[in-house]
């Protein structure tokens, strides 16, 4: 139920709907897409990445001197959680062929394929297996499965969406593996949406020239993860899952190779060492850093841990100056602030309109352009709808979907979305949603090649923690594909490599070297990382708590 002060604007949206529906039914574009020049202008003026204080030079580590997102630079210029001298590296608690850090989609996929190569696997994960962004993905996965489509067209779309900054070899791997991944997942039990004659239902997405997104209603992530997790749990002798046991540092050996990780038990607050021949980082993204104060779609564990520990060990980062704000995050009600309204909603025909019911942007521009256009509409043109908590947003006119495709389309295709809003008395089949950009995706990450190798021997990375696949702007549906394609590749390559590795003496000296670098750079900070979980406790509450000065076993 929307409050009284929004009712006038809602009436204007209803009043303009018939005309907007007519254009949509005609097959014409409902709003003229922007030219490249217009796109450049709206990005530079309104996208948060382009604000003066959005980036700064990082003063230590392999990317020293590069301009990266300010909050990430702050996080990298920080101390380790551990004192390296307190560990008995000669007696690790666990030994394995492959250590996988992160139990989301990329981690599960990597574990299955490393096992196929005959490797023993340990998955260290921060929360429970599957507590991840992968579980929450809604809209779907891109793959060129239609006759009018091809990996080449998919390639061109992904490159264009990423402003041609993507690493070509990675995009080639992404698009050529995609159809095989669709079949593999289906054989494992994923039930893709299909038409009556058995063909895959494919939907449109921002910045794509073909309908290419496969889905399982708007529960795509949960559907895929159910299957992957079942499979992982089927092999307890080969894949050991350690839950609530995040990795807080990598271990190296005296030959400079990565040789495992230091795990921290969130229950007992004890540390343990895992020695591994190869290591795969699949820790996902950084939404919970709340860059520029934006709300986020991400799960609580998305705190850039993999980036931090890899960087401290010497791994190079790529495109850490670029953040993806999803254009359609919920603004009202406040309880679901930042909650993702999947791009599938616009893919099905929903239109973004301002407070007077006008369409003001082509609904399926690439995400960064669309987000910047929403911000312009609210902040420069003052055509947003203000909420009583001081937020602002535009409408996403969802009821038009049923008018375009027939009654029941919304309930059939978007059951999660219908349920989410109905909890607050909003029926999205007959009322629009109030939305504004929300922090969604880490475009950059640890640099990899198409075998998921990094510049450090025996260290592999897959999924959102890696950088280069999506350039500086990921297209919808390409990230679920990314974690499947590169999770698989990382598992195969790390599994095979583990058979050849000879490790030297274990060491944590890289932590001391990093400390020295911080000191030489004159950096004084009390920040420690990885942060593991975001801290939302307000200062006045902390001050009231008896445990305000308790620091656990940290440092
Ligand atoms: C709400 C939402 C909807 C989305 N919808 C889509 C969509 O429709 N299509 C699409 O293509 N993409 C979508 N995405 C993006 C996509 O889901 C993610 O980018 C992708 O799933 C990331 O997979 P991952 O395995 O790399 O990371 P994740 O799935 O996030 O997994 C990372 C795992 O690592 C664990 N971890 C973190 N730190 C540590 C540590 N220190 N030690 C051990 N473990 C750690 C985490 O707890 C988590 O389990 C969506 C994202 C969100 C948030």
């Amino acid at each position: 139920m929307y409050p009284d002060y929004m009712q006038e604007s809602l009436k204007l949206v209803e009043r303009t709907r018939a005309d907007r529906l007519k254009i949509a039914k005609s097959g014409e574009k409902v709003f003229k897409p922007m030219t490249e020049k217009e796109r450049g202008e709206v990005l530079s003026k309104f996208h948060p990445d382009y604000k003066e204080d959005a980036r700064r030079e990082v003063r230590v580590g392999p990317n020293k001197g590069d301009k990266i997102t300010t909050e990430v630079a702050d996080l990298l210029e920080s101390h380790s959680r551990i004192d390296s001298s307190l560990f008995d590296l000669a007696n690790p608690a666990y030994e394995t062929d492959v250590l996988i850090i992160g139990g989301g989609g990329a981690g599960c996929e990597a574990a299955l394929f490393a096992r196929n190569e005959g490797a023993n696997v340990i998955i260290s994960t921060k929360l429970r297996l599957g507590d991840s962004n992968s579980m929450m993905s809604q809209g779907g996965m891109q793959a060129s499965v239609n006759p009018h489509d091809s990996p080449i067209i998919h390639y061109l779309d992904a490159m264009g969406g990423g402003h041609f900054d993507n690493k070509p070899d990675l995009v080639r791997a992404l698009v050529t593996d995609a159809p095989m991944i669709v079949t593999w997942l289906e054989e494992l039990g994923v039930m893709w949406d299909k038409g009556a004659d058995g063909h895959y239902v494919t939907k449109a997405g921002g910045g794509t020239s073909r309908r290419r997104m496969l889905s399982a209603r708007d529960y795509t992530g949960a559907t895929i993860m159910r299957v992957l997790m079942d499979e992982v749990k089927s092999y307890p002798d080969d894949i050991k899952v350690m839950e609530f046991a995040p990795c807080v540092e990598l271990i190296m050996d005296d030959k400079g190779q990565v040789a495992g990780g230091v795990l921290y038990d969130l229950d007992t607050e004890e540390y343990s060492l895992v020695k591994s021949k190869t290591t795969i980082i699949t820790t996902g993204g950084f939404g919970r850093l709340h860059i520029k104060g934006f709300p986020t779609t991400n799960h609580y564990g998305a705190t850039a841990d993999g980036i931090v520990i890899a960087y401290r060990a010497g791994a190079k980062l790529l495109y850490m100056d670029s953040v993806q704000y999803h254009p359609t995050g919920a603004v009202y009600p406040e309880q679901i602030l930042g909650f993702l309204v999947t791009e599938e909603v616009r893919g099905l025909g929903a239109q973004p309109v301002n407070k007077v019911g006008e369409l003001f942007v082509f609904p399926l521009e690439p995400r960064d352009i669309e987000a910047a256009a929403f911000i312009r509409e609210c902040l420069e043109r003052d055509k947003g709808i203000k909420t009583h908590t001081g937020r602002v947003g535009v409408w996403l006119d969802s009821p038009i979907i049923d008018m375009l495709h027939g009654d029941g389309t919304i309930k059939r295709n978007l059951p999660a979305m219908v349920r989410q809003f109905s909890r607050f008395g909003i029926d999205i089949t007959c009322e629009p949603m109030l939305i504004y950009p929300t922090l969604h995706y880490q475009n950059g990450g640890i640099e990899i090649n198409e075998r998921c190798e990094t510049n450090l021997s025996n260290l592999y990375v897959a999924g959102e923690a890696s950088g280069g696949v999506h350039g500086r702007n990921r297209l919808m549906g390409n990230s679920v594909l990314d974690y499947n394609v590169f999770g698989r590749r990382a598992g195969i390559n790390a599994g095979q490599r583990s058979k050849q590795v000879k490790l030297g003496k274990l060491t944590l000296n890289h932590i001391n070297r990093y400390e020295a670098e911080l000191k030489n750079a004159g950096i004084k900070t009390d920040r420690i990382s990885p942060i593991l979980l975001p801290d939302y406790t307000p200062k006045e509450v902390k001050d009231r708590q008896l445990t305000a000065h308790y620091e656990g076993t940290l440092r």
Side-chain angles (χ1 to χ4, degrees):
M1 186 98 94
Y2 287 110
D4 288 348
Y5 64 87
M6 292 186 188
Q7 294 304 324
E8 199 183 319
S9 176
L10 282 165
K11 279 198 194 107
L12 292 171
V13 174
E14 272 176 35
R15 204 168 297 159
T16 58
R17 197 174 281 145
D19 284 346
R20 290 185 282 110
L21 180 65
K22 210 150 95 199
I23 311 175
K25 278 192 164 163
S26 74
E28 293 288 305
K29 294 238 183 313
V30 293
F31 198 89
K32 196 166 155 278
M34 288 186 214
T35 60
E36 274 312 305
K37 187 164 172 273
E38 287 167 333
R39 285 180 169 185
E41 281 166 8
V42 77
L43 278 182
S44 62
K45 254 181 112 177
F46 297 100
H47 194 282
D49 272 359
Y50 293 73
K51 294 266 164 286
E52 215 161 273
D53 60 349
R55 299 159 184 167
R56 74 161 174 90
E57 269 187 22
V58 62
R59 293 170 288 176
V60 288
N63 287 68
K64 182 174 168 180
D66 287 1
K67 280 202 157 184
I68 64 174
T69 301
T70 304
E71 290 81 349
V72 178
D74 293 346
L75 190 69
L76 294 177
E77 292 178 0
S78 60
H79 305 291
S80 172
R81 301 181 80 91
I82 60 171
D83 176 342
S84 61
S85 67
L86 299 179
F87 289 86
D88 176 9
L89 293 161
N91 291 300
Y94 305 93
E95 287 199 33
T96 187
D97 293 332
V98 181
L99 168 65
I100 296 175
I101 306 171
C108 289
E109 187 98 15
L112 294 174
F113 282 95
R115 178 192 167 270
N116 274 358
E117 298 301 323
N120 291 318
V121 177
I122 290 181
I123 300 180
S124 126
T125 197
K126 184 154 53 182
L127 304 167
R128 294 166 306 177
L129 185 72
D131 288 345
S132 61
N133 283 355
S134 298
M135 183 63 89
M136 293 155 73
S137 74
Q138 302 169 350
M141 181 179 98
Q142 285 204 50
S144 57
V145 292
N146 285 329
H148 64 272
D149 200 2
S150 71
I152 294 174
I153 304 175
H154 189 176
Y155 177 94
L156 292 173
D157 284 346
M159 293 294 283
H163 304 293
F164 295 94
D165 285 332
N166 325 45
K167 279 179 81 174
D169 287 349
L170 298 183
V171 186
R172 189 174 53 201
L174 182 82
V175 301
T176 50
D177 285 5
M180 173 264 291
I181 290 289
V182 172
T183 312
W184 181 74
L185 285 174
E186 190 165 358
E187 282 168 3
L188 225 54
V190 170
M191 292 167 71
W192 298 113
D193 291 335
K194 290 196 174 168
D197 62 356
H199 69 270
Y200 294 117
V201 172
T202 46
K203 293 173 189 142
T208 60
S209 60
R210 298 289 187 276
R211 299 175 79 84
R212 186 185 297 129
M213 188 161 64
L214 291 100
S215 54
R217 304 288 195 268
D218 54 355
Y219 291 112
T220 310
T223 306
I224 298 177
M225 283 305 287
R226 174 184 60 79
V227 168
L228 291 179
M229 285 161 57
D230 272 1
E231 198 65 8
V232 164
K233 287 176 184 166
S234 305
Y235 305 108
D237 294 342
D238 306 336
I239 305 175
K240 177 179 173 61
V241 181
M242 298 179 66
E243 297 183 320
F244 300 105
C247 181
V248 295
E249 282 308 341
L250 292 176
I251 302 174
M252 310 289 288
D253 74 358
D254 55 2
K255 302 180 206 165
Q257 308 182 101
V258 172
V262 180
L263 310 194
Y264 174 63
D265 188 313
L266 290 178
D267 289 326
T268 64
E269 301 191 6
E270 286 171 328
Y271 292 96
S272 58
L273 303 179
V274 180
K275 178 178 179 182
S276 65
K277 292 179 180 146
T278 56
T279 302
I280 309 177
I281 290 182
T282 56
T283 46
F286 65 16
R288 290 283 159 182
L289 298 187
H290 293 289
I291 310 247
K292 294 255 136 296
F294 272 75
T296 185
T297 58
N298 285 197
H299 82 119
Y300 285 95
T303 50
D305 300 358
I307 302 282
V308 170
I309 60 178
Y311 194 71
R312 218 171 256 148
K316 285 195 188 124
L317 308 180
L318 195 64
Y319 304 146
M320 288 310 287
D321 54 355
S322 161
V323 180
Q324 181 164 92
Y325 297 86
H326 197 293
T328 55
V331 181
Y332 187 89
E334 191 88 6
Q335 292 94 319
I336 52 167
L337 182 70
F339 169 83
L340 181 71
V341 174
T342 169
E343 192 156 324
E344 199 180 345
V345 181
R346 279 175 293 137
L348 285 164
Q351 300 171 352
V353 291
N354 61 24
K355 69 177 175 190
V356 290
E358 296 162 341
L359 243 167
F360 57 90
V361 63
F362 177 60
L364 289 173
E365 294 282 6
R367 284 182 177 168
D368 51 354
I369 316 284
E370 191 84 4
F374 286 12
I375 295 173
R376 175 178 65 187
E377 198 66 13
C378 294
L379 302 191
E380 188 187 59
R381 298 177 176 167
D382 194 22
K383 290 201 171 165
I385 300 91
K386 296 196 175 79
T387 74
H388 59 282
T389 56
R391 301 194 181 273
V392 63
V394 294
W395 296 115
L396 183 59
D397 194 14
S398 45
I400 208 164
I401 294 175
D402 276 2
M403 295 171 186
L404 271 169
H405 303 290
D407 281 350
T409 307
I410 299 174
K411 284 194 173 139
R412 209 167 38 250
N413 287 277
L414 304 165
M417 203 64 46
V418 169
R419 185 164 307 135
Q420 183 65 52
F421 279 87
S422 71
R423 287 171 56 216
F424 303 98
I426 295 169
D427 179 355
I428 66 165
T429 66
C430 51
E431 293 168 300
M433 294 169 253
L434 194 62
I435 49 149
Y436 194 73
T438 177
L439 177 51
H440 187 53
Y441 189 75
Q442 173 190 296
N443 287 321
I446 304 159
E447 186 167 1
I448 55 166
N449 63 17
E450 69 280 12
R451 295 169 53 79
C452 300
E453 292 160 336
T454 64
N455 61 313
L456 297 180
S457 289
N458 306 338
L459 181 67
Y460 296 74
V461 181
E464 197 168 334
S466 72
V469 183
H470 309 286
R472 289 193 159 85
N473 178 52
R474 173 178 70 86
L475 291 187
M476 123 342 314
N478 271 350
S479 176
V480 169
L481 179 60
D482 171 343
Y483 83 63
N484 279 287
V485 165
F486 293 101
R488 172 180 170 276
R489 284 176 173 243
I492 293 172
N493 293 316
Q496 287 175 357
R497 166 94 185 134
S498 70
K499 304 289 162 208
Q500 303 149 17
V501 172
K502 295 260 177 301
L503 291 177
K505 202 167 154 234
L506 302 194
T507 160
L508 288 168
N509 271 346
H510 63 286
I511 299 174
N512 306 337
R513 276 199 303 273
Y514 199 82
E515 277 294 327
E517 248 199 280
L518 289 171
K519 200 167 164 206
N520 288 341
I523 296 167
K524 290 202 176 87
T525 175
D526 54 5
R527 194 176 281 118
I528 58 163
S529 65
I531 60 174
L532 301 181
L533 289 167
D535 183 359
Y536 294 121
T537 319
K539 188 173 175 315
E540 62 275 19
V541 176
K542 270 190 193 149
D543 290 346
R544 274 203 315 268
Q545 285 173 340
L546 286 173
T547 54
H549 303 293
Y550 174 65
E551 287 179 8
T553 60
L554 306 184
R555 294 186 67 72

